[in-house]
């Protein structure tokens, strides 16, 4: 079938998932995200990206691919910062550490037909979007002390008791709860931002 999301016709088409599971993102005729999008589940096996593979096995959704592409494009449009190599390398080592052994990581690289440099490029994109989100949205998110106290009383304490876990005083967990509420609010801001980006482009999805 075909899903067609149409808004602002003058804007060039964005991601299109073509028959066979290959996904290409373009602005006009210029590929802007082929590395991250093409090859189905290749990226997901390496860096945990949420995608679908060539056999249409669900390891994610096409909407996730579109969201990734739109966020990255917006970050680039506003000047994605150039990251130091040591920051990318540190995340690259974290990725390797998720595997049972360095040999297993190398085996997965061969299976996915990705090179180490391509993985670093994918990681760089992730980090650039993360930095953009941190700069744009995090300063706007404020969690009041009253919200923390309400969450502690109405959610945190009952959950701990239901699980038979010890209940620490609010003072010991205040910052953890603040971080949790900020993360939830940040995700809502990201969803709103992504929906706004999605409304500004034409998206054709072929399945």
């Amino acid at each position: 079938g075909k899903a067609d999301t149409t808004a602002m016709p003058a804007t060039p088409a964005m991601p299109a998932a073509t028959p066979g599971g290959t996904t290409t993102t373009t602005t006009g005729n210029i590929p802007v995200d082929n590395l991250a999008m093409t090859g189905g589940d290749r990226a997901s096996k390496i860096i945990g990206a949420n995608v679908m593979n060539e056999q249409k096995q669900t390891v994610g959704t096409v909407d996730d691919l579109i969201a990734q592409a739109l966020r990255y494009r917006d970050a680039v449009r506003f000047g994605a910062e150039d990251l130091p190599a040591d920051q990318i390398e540190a995340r690259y080592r974290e990725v390797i550490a998720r595997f049972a052994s360095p040999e297993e990581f190398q085996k997965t690289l061969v299976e996915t037909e990705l090179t180490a440099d391509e993985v670093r490029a994918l990681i760089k994109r992730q980090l650039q979007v993360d930095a953009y989100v941190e700069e744009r949205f995090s300063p706007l998110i404020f969690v009041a002390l009253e919200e923390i106290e309400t969450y502690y009383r109405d959610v945190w304490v009952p959950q701990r008791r239901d699980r038979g876990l010890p209940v620490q005083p609010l003072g010991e967990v205040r910052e953890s709860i603040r971080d949790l509420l900020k993360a939830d609010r940040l995700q809502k801001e990201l969803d709103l931002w992504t929906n706004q980006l999605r409304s500004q482009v034409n998206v054709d999805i072929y399945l």
Side-chain angles (χ1 to χ4, degrees):
K2 175 182 175 182
D4 184 10
T5 301
T6 303
M8 295 181 64
T11 306
M14 281 299 291
T18 58
T22 300
T23 308
T24 303
T25 305
T26 62
T27 299
N29 294 322
I30 304 172
V32 295
D33 208 19
N34 277 341
L35 175 60
M37 307 283 272
T38 302
D41 64 346
R42 296 189 303 157
S44 70
K45 288 184 178 180
I46 299 295
I47 62 172
N50 205 2
V51 298
M52 297 179 69
N53 66 20
E54 293 89 340
Q55 290 74 41
K56 298 182 182 178
Q57 297 166 333
T58 302
V59 295
T61 68
V62 172
D63 277 344
D64 291 321
L65 292 174
I66 294 170
Q68 290 168 22
L70 291 173
R71 290 172 183 174
Y72 177 69
R73 190 182 77 156
D74 205 48
V76 170
R77 186 163 65 95
F78 283 95
E81 65 179 274
D82 194 18
L83 303 172
D86 58 350
Q87 184 179 357
I88 299 170
E89 201 62 27
R91 180 64 65 86
Y92 180 73
R93 289 193 295 271
E94 290 177 9
V95 169
I96 296 176
R98 297 173 191 164
F99 290 79
S101 66
E103 292 74 22
E104 188 65 25
F105 172 72
Q106 291 298 327
K107 178 183 176 183
T108 305
L109 282 184
V110 173
E111 291 174 350
T112 56
E113 299 179 353
L114 283 170
T115 67
D117 285 343
E118 286 175 326
V119 174
R120 289 185 177 93
L122 292 168
I123 289 171
K124 180 179 180 179
R125 292 179 179 207
Q126 282 190 335
L127 291 174
Q128 285 176 315
V129 172
D130 290 346
Y132 177 68
V133 167
E134 182 69 22
E135 179 181 355
R136 175 173 176 177
F137 295 106
S138 290
L140 305 177
I141 297 174
F142 173 76
V143 178
L145 182 59
E146 293 79 7
E147 295 178 83
I148 297 174
E149 293 172 345
T150 299
Y151 185 89
Y152 175 81
R153 181 186 66 247
D154 297 343
V155 180
W156 195 87
V157 169
Q159 285 182 348
R160 300 284 289 186
R161 287 175 175 164
D162 288 346
R163 298 169 185 170
L165 299 173
V167 177
Q168 297 99 320
L170 174 60
E172 294 183 12
V173 296
R174 181 180 292 111
E175 292 309 309
S176 296
I177 293 176
R178 186 192 306 278
D179 291 342
L180 180 66
L181 294 177
K182 285 183 68 174
D184 180 67
R185 195 161 298 171
L186 178 60
Q187 185 58 53
K188 291 177 181 177
E189 291 292 334
L190 291 178
D191 291 341
L192 177 61
W193 170 45
T194 303
N195 289 336
Q196 290 172 341
L197 293 174
R198 180 75 181 259
S199 72
Q200 297 168 2
V201 297
N202 299 327
V203 180
D204 290 338
I205 304 171
Y206 300 91
L207 298 175

